[in-house]
């Protein structure tokens, strides 16, 4: 047998004379992208992504259909090859209508695979659900309870009736797994590298979890008596029982993460000492200072910040509230503060908010529940002055407001009604209008114009070598916990690269997205969203026990089954998206009219989503040449070409049963086996 030898990317590849470049590359373990190639059918060479360049050879060659000549020296990733391949993928993506991921996942700041874990819950596999969640988020039972769930705002089920209760489903699965069969992955072997994490809140704990899984020795230093940060000291017990948080923190500690509390950087240990004793340092200190009201009387006794109140209560300290308490602000911290004041025995609790309920940033459910618990909302009012007697708050003078033109946030801006005020007698004014960062102890790190730690948005690096920063303490300031968690997960990957001498920036994966028309949703039967059962207001307003009772198993499974499964079933295996991402394609470069077709072709056991089909013809060839059936064919010409069953009679469909070879061969998610 005559043998030949070629060199691809410096690797010697040997095979029989007459072999294609692709055959030899595969024999030598060199990867060349392909879409329309399949071992069981004849060479086709249509998709044009398997190009290679040869020394002394003028043209790029298709590896799948070019017979190799002995001695060739080839490269698969030259700039010319990459550029040509990128164009090939851009052309393919220009007529590709599909959602790689559901909008829920794309709108989650941590990128959790909502569709994946909702499906696992629907199938009754809670442990698998937690496994999926923990790929991005190590605190599912805690976050499932408190997250304002931006995923649900993007959920397409809203177009049918209401969004899937994604966050509470996470809470359901995480609680069951935590209680019955906790899931903690096994860490990699010890790397010999150490990381100091300053701050044990959601960001610090998340980074610790993912870095520990990579085998690094992680120590968290936190100023408070216990770990958890704002999840412990900024979220009341009735929303997040601390036993749940403790259990999830214990799971992180079980990975070998060392947790040191009551350590204030700049007091108990200097920042430079920490830097010097670890290979990398991550600052995740959060935003723990209150924004002031900037009105007269702010210095009076009885005025405090919303998070200061919540912290005191979490620490078991006397918050010193009187009978009449005013909370200023319209966000979730204001809701936490007013509902906490109710539970501490205040008789009259007011929320002072300068716009109307429609503009309130707090979650609707929080507002409703606060109202049920007896909180009075004074909309269109703003503190003009805090009045006092003997150095203590006695009342708040409220400026009456009205709504003017929309401001930069798109909400109508509050405008003072001249000369119109109201005096509200109160004992306390709690200011919950925002939080800022306290950078004391971190003076060496460069700040941005807002006085917040400046961190690179892709590398998470600061102005100091080996020092990274994430979360509320950086760039844009305070946000929701899941945003800090998302950053921490990405930063952990960058730090891991840094510790291995290869710091790669975070890059959002390329995904294909589509926008179904409203008619698409008509086909789905309306099913109401599951309601979280809660304790009655009269009972719950008297204690700090958890108010949610949790979904029953029946309710959770039914709720999860409402999911429309918007993302592609093939996302993890799809070669089109794998290469489109690798070659950083611009899907809009050749943008034009796209085929508009949603899952319109259904055989007995196979569903075809024509929008995702790239007309590689592989299914047709496999069906004919490998399966020996020839059921499928290309129909039409040019842009109008589609794959169709040639015959629609039942005899043909019967032939198709139990085959599925076309589905296995399809390089995209265009084909799906229905059972
Ligand atoms: S076929 Fe591939 S590229 Fe298309 S939506 Fe599915 S995963 Fe994304
Ligand atoms: S219907 Fe399911 S997959 Fe679609 S956005 Fe909602 S949760 Fe995600
Ligand atoms: S359905 Fe057939 S032609 Fe379309 S991408 Fe899949 S294998 Fe290729």
């Amino acid at each position: 047998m005559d043998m030949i030898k070629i060199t691809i990317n410096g690797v010697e590849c040997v095979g029989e004379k007459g072999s294609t470049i692709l055959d030899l590359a595969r024999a030598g373990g060199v990867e060349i992208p392909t879409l329309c190639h399949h071992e069981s059918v004849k060479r086709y060479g249509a998709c044009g992504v398997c190009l290679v360049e040869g020394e002394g050879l003028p043209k790029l060659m298709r590896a799948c259909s070019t017979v190799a000549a002995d001695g060739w020296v080839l490269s698969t990733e030259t700039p010319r090859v990459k550029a040509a391949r990128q164009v090939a993928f851009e052309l393919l993506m220009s007529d590709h209508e599909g959602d790689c991921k559901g909008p829920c996942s794309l709108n989650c700041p941590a990128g959790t695979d909502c569709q994946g874990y909702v499906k696992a819950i629907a199938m009754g596999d809670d442990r698998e659900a937690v496994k999926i969640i923990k790929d991005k988020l190590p605190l599912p039972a805690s976050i499932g309870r408190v997250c304002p769930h931006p995923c649900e705002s993007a959920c397409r089920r809203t177009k049918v009736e209401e969004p899937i209760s994604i966050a509470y489903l996470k809470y359901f699965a995480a609680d069951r797994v935590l209680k019955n069969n906790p899931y903690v992955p096994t860490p990699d072997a010890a790397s010999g590298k150490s990381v100091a994490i300053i701050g044990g809140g959601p960001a610090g704990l998340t980074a610790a979890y993912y870095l520990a899984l990579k085998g690094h020795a992680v120590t968290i230093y936190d100023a408070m008596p216990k770990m958890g940060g704002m999840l412990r000291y900024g979220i009341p017990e009735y929303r997040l029982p601390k036993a749940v948080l403790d259990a999830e923190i214990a799971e992180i500690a079980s990975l070998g993460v060392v947790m040191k509390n009551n350590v204030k950087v700049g007091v108990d240990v200097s920042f430079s000492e920490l830097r010097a004793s670890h290979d990398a340092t991550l600052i995740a200190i959060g935003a723990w200072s209150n924004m002031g009201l900037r009105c007269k009387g702010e210095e009076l006794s009885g005025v405090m910040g919303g998070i200061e109140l919540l912290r005191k209560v979490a620490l078991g300290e006397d918050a010193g509230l009187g009978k009449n308490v005013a909370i200023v602000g319209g966000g979730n911290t204001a809701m936490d503060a007013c509902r906490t004041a109710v539970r501490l025995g205040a008789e009259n609790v007011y929320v002072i908010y300068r716009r109307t309920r429609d503009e309130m940033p707090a979650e609707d459910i929080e507002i409703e529940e606060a109202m049920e618990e007896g909180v009075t909302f004074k909309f269109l009012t703003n503190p003009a002055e805090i009045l006092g007697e003997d150095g203590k708050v006695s009342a708040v003078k409220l400026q009456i407001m009205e709504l003017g033109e929309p401001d930069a946030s798109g909400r109508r801006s509050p405008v003072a009604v001249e000369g119109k005020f109201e005096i509200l007698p109160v004992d306390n004014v709690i200011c919950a209008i925002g939080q800022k960062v306290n950078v004391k102890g971190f003076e060496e790190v460069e700040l941005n114009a807002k006085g917040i730690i400046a961190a690179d948005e892709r590398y998470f690096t600061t102005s100091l070598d080996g020092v990274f920063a994430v979360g509320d303490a950086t760039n844009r300031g305070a946000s929701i916990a899941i945003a800090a968690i998302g950053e921490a997960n990405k930063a952990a990957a960058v730090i891991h690269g840094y510790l291995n001498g290869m710091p790669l920036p975070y890059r959002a994966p390329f995904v294909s997205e589509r926008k179904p028309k409203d008619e698409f949703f008509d086909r789905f039967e309306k099913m109401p969203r599951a309601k979280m059962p809660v304790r009655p207001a009269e009972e719950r307003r008297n204690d700090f026990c958890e108010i949610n009772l949790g979904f029953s198993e029946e309710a959770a499974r039914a709720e999860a089954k409402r999911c429309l499964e918007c993302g592609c079933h093939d996302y993890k295996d799809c070669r089109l998206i794998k290469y489109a991402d690798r070659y950083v394609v611009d899907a809009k470069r050749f943008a034009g009219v796209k085929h508009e077709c949603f899952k319109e072709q259904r055989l007995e056991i196979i569903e075809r989503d024509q929008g995702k089909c790239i007309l590689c013809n592989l299914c047709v060839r496999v069906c004919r040449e490998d399966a020996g059936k020839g059921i499928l064919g290309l129909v039409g010409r040019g842009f109008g070409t589609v794959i169709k069953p040639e015959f629609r009679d039942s005899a043909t469909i019967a032939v198709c049963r139990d085959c599925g070879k076309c589905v296995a061969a399809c390089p995209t998610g265009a084909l799906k086996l229905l059972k």
Side-chain angles (χ1 to χ4, degrees):
M1 187 184 299
D2 283 350
M3 303 298 282
I4 58 166
K5 185 165 77 181
I6 65 173
T7 307
I8 312 177
N9 300 345
V11 177
E12 286 192 350
C13 304
V14 182
E16 285 176 37
K17 193 173 174 192
S19 301
T20 63
I21 297 170
L22 186 65
D23 293 336
L24 296 179
R26 289 191 173 168
V30 178
E31 188 196 355
I32 295 177
T34 61
L35 289 176
C36 70
H37 176 80
H38 196 274
E39 291 70 25
S40 65
V41 294
K42 286 188 206 119
R43 298 163 201 163
Y44 194 57
C47 71
V49 303
C50 63
L51 298 172
V52 295
E53 187 167 7
E55 272 182 31
L57 301 169
K59 284 188 179 169
L60 296 181
M61 296 173 287
R62 291 182 189 224
C64 74
S65 54
T66 307
V67 174
D70 192 39
W72 270 357
V73 178
L74 308 173
S75 301
T76 66
E77 298 292 329
T78 63
R80 193 171 158 216
V81 168
K82 280 191 198 167
R85 225 174 253 162
Q86 191 184 35
V87 169
F89 284 113
E90 281 169 344
L91 283 166
L92 288 170
M93 293 310 296
S94 70
D95 186 26
H96 182 79
E97 276 283 287
D99 281 302
C100 295
K101 294 181 171 195
C104 46
S105 178
L106 294 176
N107 217 40
C108 170
T112 49
D113 178 5
C114 310
Q115 178 180 334
Y117 69 78
V118 167
K119 183 166 187 179
I121 295 168
M123 309 284 283
D125 194 344
D126 301 323
R127 198 172 155 81
E128 176 63 18
V130 169
K131 207 170 153 189
I132 293 169
I133 299 166
K134 284 198 166 185
D135 189 40
K136 302 282 181 193
L137 156 66
L139 302 157
S142 302
I143 295 299
R145 284 170 161 85
V146 304
C147 188
H149 43 69
C151 52
E152 293 180 23
S153 318
C155 175
R156 282 203 188 132
R157 184 85 211 189
T158 313
K159 297 245 185 194
V160 182
E161 55 331 64
E162 293 174 286
I164 305 297
S165 190
I166 303 172
Y168 284 159
L169 283 174
K170 175 160 54 213
Y171 155 16
F172 165 83
D175 266 18
R176 284 166 72 97
V177 172
L178 198 57
K179 195 167 149 210
N180 302 321
N181 188 9
Y183 169 77
V184 184
T186 308
D188 294 348
S191 68
K193 306 279 183 187
S194 74
V195 184
I197 295 180
I198 306 171
L205 289 167
T206 299
Y209 177 85
Y210 293 110
L211 284 164
L213 285 180
K214 291 287 180 199
H216 306 303
V218 181
T219 307
I220 307 180
Y221 301 88
D222 191 275
M224 298 301 285
K226 286 185 168 186
M227 291 290 160
M230 279 293 172
L231 290 177
R232 183 181 299 281
Y233 297 105
I235 304 238
E237 177 79 11
Y238 67 82
R239 279 219 287 144
L240 171 54
K242 298 308 170 289
V244 173
L245 180 62
D246 287 340
E248 295 202 307
I249 292 173
E251 287 188 340
I252 297 171
S254 75
L255 295 171
V257 174
V258 177
M259 301 188 175
K260 295 193 174 179
N261 285 100
N262 296 311
V263 180
K264 283 196 176 67
V265 173
V267 177
D268 303 303
V269 62
S270 75
F271 179 48
S272 40
E273 267 176 72
L274 281 187
R275 275 186 74 195
S277 53
H278 295 85
D279 297 302
T281 305
L282 176 69
I283 304 173
I285 54 175
W288 286 66
S289 297
N290 282 288
M291 300 267 205
L293 280 174
R294 281 187 275 171
C295 75
K296 208 171 147 199
E298 221 179 340
E299 71 295 343
L300 290 166
S301 164
V303 178
M304 72 177 98
I307 49 169
E308 190 185 338
L309 168 70
L310 299 171
R311 183 162 66 232
K312 280 187 175 181
V313 174
L315 285 166
E317 294 173 4
D318 180 8
L321 294 191
K323 296 284 173 213
N324 304 304
V325 180
I327 285 90
V328 184
N332 282 336
T333 303
M335 296 304 99
D336 288 341
C338 71
R339 299 177 71 185
T340 293
V342 167
R343 284 162 175 76
L344 290 176
E347 287 168 8
N348 297 301
V349 179
Y350 306 97
V351 167
I352 313 293
Y353 183 57
R354 59 196 184 136
R355 292 178 161 107
T356 70
R357 174 168 175 174
D358 288 347
E359 290 82 30
M360 275 184 81
E363 277 184 84
D364 260 353
I365 186 73
E366 290 288 318
I367 302 168
E368 274 162 35
E369 288 179 351
M371 286 176 170
E372 285 169 13
E373 289 167 12
V375 174
T376 304
F377 284 74
K378 296 192 73 68
F379 295 114
L380 292 169
T381 63
N382 199 34
E385 184 179 348
I386 301 169
L387 308 172
E389 282 170 18
D390 305 326
K392 289 178 69 178
V393 174
S394 62
V396 57
K397 182 179 175 183
L398 299 175
Q399 167 73 64
I400 307 299
M401 315 292 287
E402 61 185 3
L403 290 183
E405 294 302 310
D407 61 14
S409 71
R411 297 177 301 170
R412 291 179 67 192
S413 54
V415 180
V417 180
E418 213 182 314
K420 232 178 148 188
F421 296 95
E422 177 187 342
I423 305 290
L424 186 69
V426 289
D427 306 300
N428 299 88
V429 176
I430 313 291
C431 175
I433 58 167
Q435 288 137 244
K436 56 185 182 184
V437 188
N438 180 355
V439 289
K440 209 159 170 254
F442 299 90
E443 286 77 5
E444 295 164 61
V445 190
E446 194 177 300
L447 307 180
N448 66 15
K450 293 190 213 158
I452 299 172
I453 293 171
D456 185 278
E457 304 220 344
R458 295 192 313 138
Y459 284 94
F460 307 97
T461 44
T462 65
S463 55
L464 302 176
D465 185 35
V467 178
F468 301 79
V470 286
D472 290 1
T474 64
N475 303 338
R476 283 174 296 273
S479 182
I480 55 177
I482 193 69
I485 286 170
E487 271 191 19
N489 186 352
K490 292 163 196 158
V494 176
I495 294 170
H496 174 62
Y498 168 83
L499 293 171
N500 287 320
M502 290 182 297
L504 288 174
Y506 168 74
R507 180 171 69 83
F510 173 81
V511 286
S512 166
E513 288 176 70
R514 70 174 153 198
K515 287 204 170 36
K517 292 191 170 163
D518 287 350
E519 307 88 84
F520 171 74
F521 299 97
D522 295 343
R523 69 188 71 181
F524 300 104
E525 192 190 328
K526 289 194 182 356
M527 284 185 271
R529 170 180 158 108
K531 266 201 167 358
M532 171 58 69
V534 293
R535 295 165 62 216
E538 270 320 302
E539 179 192 308
R540 68 183 192 238
R541 72 193 300 278
N542 298 313
D543 61 46
F544 279 90
C545 298
E546 185 167 23
I547 74 163
N548 288 339
L549 298 170
F551 284 148
S552 66
E553 176 164 10
E554 194 189 355
R557 306 279 179 236
E559 177 63 11
K561 285 183 184 142
R562 292 176 62 236
C563 176
L564 304 177
E565 299 187 23
C566 308
C568 186
H569 69 283
D570 206 32
Y571 178 60
K572 290 197 172 72
D573 297 320
C574 173
R575 276 183 279 152
L576 180 61
I577 199 63
K578 173 179 154 187
Y579 295 128
D581 185 52
R582 182 185 294 176
Y583 294 100
V584 197
V585 306
D586 173 3
K588 295 206 173 86
R589 192 157 151 217
F590 299 109
V593 181
K594 288 191 177 191
H595 284 97
E596 275 188 25
C597 26
F598 261 105
K599 300 181 180 168
E600 87 292 44
Q601 298 181 16
R602 191 178 264 236
L603 295 178
E604 283 283 285
I605 59 158
I606 299 169
E607 185 178 74
R608 183 187 299 112
D609 188 339
Q610 195 72 51
K612 293 178 185 169
C613 174
I614 56 169
L615 294 174
C616 70
N617 208 23
L618 198 46
C619 53
V620 176
R621 289 150 54 220
V622 164
C623 184
R624 187 178 56 228
E625 296 175 34
D626 189 19
K629 292 174 184 172
I631 295 169
L632 303 171
L634 283 169
V635 176
R637 284 178 168 270
F639 186 70
T641 307
V642 287
I643 305 284
K644 287 209 171 188
E646 284 178 344
F647 309 105
R648 285 192 175 272
D649 62 282
S650 54
T652 305
I653 287 168
V655 178
C656 176
R657 277 213 184 113
D658 299 324
C659 172
K661 287 191 175 181
C662 55
V663 180
C666 178
T668 76
L671 298 178
K672 182 179 177 184
L673 271 182
L674 296 175
K675 41 183 173 172

